[in-house]
Amino acid sequence: MRLLVFFDLPMNTKEEKRIYIKFRKFLIEDGFMMLQFSVYAKIFPNRISLVQYVESLKRNLPKKGSVRAMAITEKQYENMLILVGGKTMQEQTVSDEPMVIL
Amino acid sequence: MSWRIVYVTESEEMKLYLDNLKVVKREQEILIPLSDIHTIVVDNHRTVVTGRLMNKLAEYHILLIFCDETHNPNVFSMGLYSHYRVYGVLRDQMKWNDEIKGEMWKKIIQIKIHNQLSVLRYLKNSDDSIKRLTSYAKDVMFEDRTNREGLAAKIYFNELFGKNFVRQRGAVDVYNSALNYGYMVLRACFARSVVAHGLHPSFGIGHRNQFNAFNLVDDCMESFRPIIDFWVYMIMNDAEYLDRERKQALIGKLHNKVQIGGQKQTVLNAIDLFVQSFIKAMDTKNLNLLTYPENGIAI
């Protein structure tokens, strides 16, 4: 299972930029990887842990701006069309496989 | 919940980046969230690890194993006092008396022989050995005074790996080296779990070797050994020596499911379940609380 998070945050004042940086760091600390700018994905071993995680994510959201999340299965993620560009090294090595060989 | 095993065969540096493990490999960087990681196996001697990462690994109870020149696990590191109630658990551990220790040891040996039996039943069909092992399992005494464990092991290994097989720690033949490797990884996983639950790994119940820092770990892993034996038999059957692919296959099998407490769990989870129930059983002196792998087969 993967949880995709898409966000737009206002970046006009210093304070708003601070909130944006804090949120982005929070996502990476929690195990999200950047798919594209403002699109982050996190891998879960099963649906239960995903549902549990979403509750804790909800407690750490910025007040303003727009944040959306979507849960999809590995199969659906695999079927994503890559039209321009390719998969990153990160994406290729770190999948839902329990064993990562580097 | 941690579920990943990271096996590093080639990397220049490992460091911390925002609670992620950052592995630098040929100028490319790969991030893996620490909250996902259960074990990191470093199988090369070029990788540099930063102190900041080591501290964070201890915080997340992640097991870090380094292999030596012969690619065998040699060092494992873990946070020693990582349990929130370390004194409380230790105090209870000190209160375990010889009565309950002996009874528990008897039970563990019985489970081990039963699991060896299930492996033999699955792979071979030699009625004579099965009959002898069954009677040994029945005859295990308090503290295993009559050493049924050793007798059972001899028959079991000869049946599994052939009449000429002798189980040895330093031996370099295919089966012994694979068994040593598998047991070493299993031991490290158990050590992590035992310490993470606040127990002191030196105070064992069956093993009381004054030179062994992991007596309790060796006690706990006994009933899981047949799982490794089974994998070694399956993986090494036609191999000439233990190569890297087979080592990775052995470690990867820790994610196989084993029957424990009426449900199927990965071996990694089963280890935690076993240690938890072991503590409960010893503290309450009720051995029925112990949950253990019901057979030695994890596919």
Side-chain angles (χ1 to χ4, degrees), chain B residues 14 65-66 68 81 88 125 143 151 159 183 227 255 284 299:
Chain B
M14 295 202 301
I65 305 176
F66 283 103
D68 60 13
Y81 302 108
N125 211 350
E143 286 181 342
L151 292 171
E159 189 64 43
Y183 290 158
I227 296 175
H255 289 287
T284 58
I299 304 175

Side-chain angles (χ1 to χ4, degrees), chain B residues 1 11 14 22 27 34 37 51 71 76 89 98 106 108 115 139 173 183 207 210 212 214 216 230 234 242 290:
Chain B
M1 201 189 74
S11 150
M14 295 202 301
K22 185 193 258 183
E27 292 181 6
L34 285 182
I37 302 177
H71 304 285
F76 52 83
V89 178
D98 288 345
K106 174 183 166 188
I108 287 178
N115 289 355
D139 293 345
D173 65 286
Y183 290 158
H207 291 84
Q210 59 168 327
N212 184 357
F214 296 101
L216 184 62
F230 177 73
M234 300 298 270
L242 182 66
L290 188 73

Side-chain angles (χ1 to χ4, degrees), chain B residues 139-298:
Chain B
D139 293 345
V140 180
M141 283 172 62
F142 181 75
E143 286 181 342
D144 192 26
R145 281 196 180 128
T146 46
N147 193 24
R148 296 291 120 168
E149 181 194 10
L151 292 171
K154 185 157 180 3
I155 297 173
Y156 164 72
F157 278 123
N158 281 343
E159 189 64 43
L160 201 57
F161 300 126
K163 286 274 175 282
N164 296 326
F165 179 82
V166 185
R167 172 81 190 108
Q168 263 179 337
R169 234 171 240 174
V172 289
D173 65 286
V174 175
Y175 289 127
N176 267 315
S177 53
L179 285 175
N180 291 336
Y181 189 82
Y183 290 158
M184 195 68 184
V185 175
L186 185 69
R187 193 173 186 232
C189 291
F190 262 100
R192 169 193 184 264
S193 189
V194 162
V195 173
H197 286 95
L199 294 173
H200 198 290
S202 297
F203 288 96
I205 55 166
H207 291 84
R208 288 167 194 187
N209 184 344
Q210 59 168 327
F211 302 109
N212 184 357
F214 296 101
N215 282 319
L216 184 62
V217 177
D218 293 336
D219 293 334
C220 289
M221 66 184 278
E222 286 298 346
S223 55
F224 282 70
R225 281 179 197 263
I227 296 175
I228 301 280
D229 304 336
F230 177 73
W231 293 341
V232 167
Y233 180 86
M234 300 298 270
I235 294 176
M236 301 306 290
N237 211 357
D238 53 345
E240 282 174 22
Y241 65 98
L242 182 66
D243 52 16
R244 180 173 275 170
E245 278 70 39
R246 288 201 164 78
K247 278 176 186 158
Q248 286 171 356
L250 256 179
I251 292 179
K253 286 204 180 297
L254 290 171
H255 289 287
N256 286 6
K257 296 271 173 74
V258 68
Q259 189 76 24
I260 182 166
Q263 48 181 325
K264 290 210 158 198
Q265 290 280 0
T266 63
V267 174
L268 288 179
N269 284 344
I271 290 172
D272 274 342
L273 288 176
F274 180 87
V275 174
Q276 276 163 21
S277 68
F278 177 81
I279 297 171
K280 218 182 261 169
M282 290 297 279
D283 285 348
T284 58
K285 299 197 170 61
N286 178 5
L287 296 192
N288 294 328
L289 291 177
L290 188 73
T291 51
Y292 50 85
E294 279 140 45
N295 54 44
I297 293 153

Side-chain angles (χ1 to χ4, degrees), chain B residues 1-164:
Chain B
M1 201 189 74
S2 53
W3 49 283
R4 270 188 207 285
I5 296 180
V6 181
Y7 194 99
V8 183
T9 54
E10 210 185 315
S11 150
E12 290 86 51
E13 198 180 7
M14 295 202 301
K15 50 188 168 184
L16 183 72
Y17 174 73
L18 290 176
D19 286 33
N20 282 256
L21 167 72
K22 185 193 258 183
V23 183
V24 185
K25 183 182 174 183
R26 279 189 238 113
E27 292 181 6
Q28 277 183 306
E29 291 174 343
I30 291 155
L31 291 181
I32 304 165
L34 285 182
S35 50
D36 287 359
I37 302 177
H38 181 281
T39 303
I40 305 171
V41 183
V42 183
D43 190 3
N44 71 74
H45 39 264
R46 278 189 306 124
T47 308
V48 177
V49 182
T50 62
R52 227 151 67 90
L53 176 67
M54 294 294 290
N55 279 316
K56 209 68 180 179
L57 291 182
E59 208 174 287
Y60 277 89
H61 306 309
I62 293 169
L63 176 66
L64 178 64
I65 305 176
F66 283 103
C67 299
D68 60 13
E69 287 92 347
T70 56
H71 304 285
N72 281 316
N74 194 24
V75 186
F76 52 83
S77 90
M78 54 196 172
L80 241 192
Y81 302 108
S82 46
H83 194 265
Y84 74 107
R85 209 168 72 82
V86 76
Y87 173 70
V89 178
L90 258 177
R91 195 187 46 205
D92 292 344
Q93 187 185 358
M94 293 298 117
K95 281 189 196 148
W96 299 347
N97 56 27
D98 288 345
E99 181 87 18
I100 189 75
K101 282 182 184 171
E103 284 296 328
M104 180 58 106
W105 185 238
K106 174 183 166 188
K107 189 174 171 96
I108 287 178
I109 295 306
Q110 277 179 331
I111 297 167
K112 182 183 178 187
I113 298 178
H114 275 298
N115 289 355
Q116 288 175 336
L117 262 169
S118 64
V119 171
L120 285 190
R121 278 210 197 93
Y122 190 87
L123 295 173
K124 313 258 172 161
N125 211 350
S126 156
D127 288 334
D128 183 40
S129 305
I130 288 176
K131 235 181 252 159
R132 285 167 77 183
L133 280 188
T134 317
S135 80
Y136 284 165
K138 225 186 291 157
D139 293 345
V140 180
M141 283 172 62
F142 181 75
E143 286 181 342
D144 192 26
R145 281 196 180 128
T146 46
N147 193 24
R148 296 291 120 168
E149 181 194 10
L151 292 171
K154 185 157 180 3
I155 297 173
Y156 164 72
F157 278 123
N158 281 343
E159 189 64 43
L160 201 57
F161 300 126
K163 286 274 175 282
N164 296 326

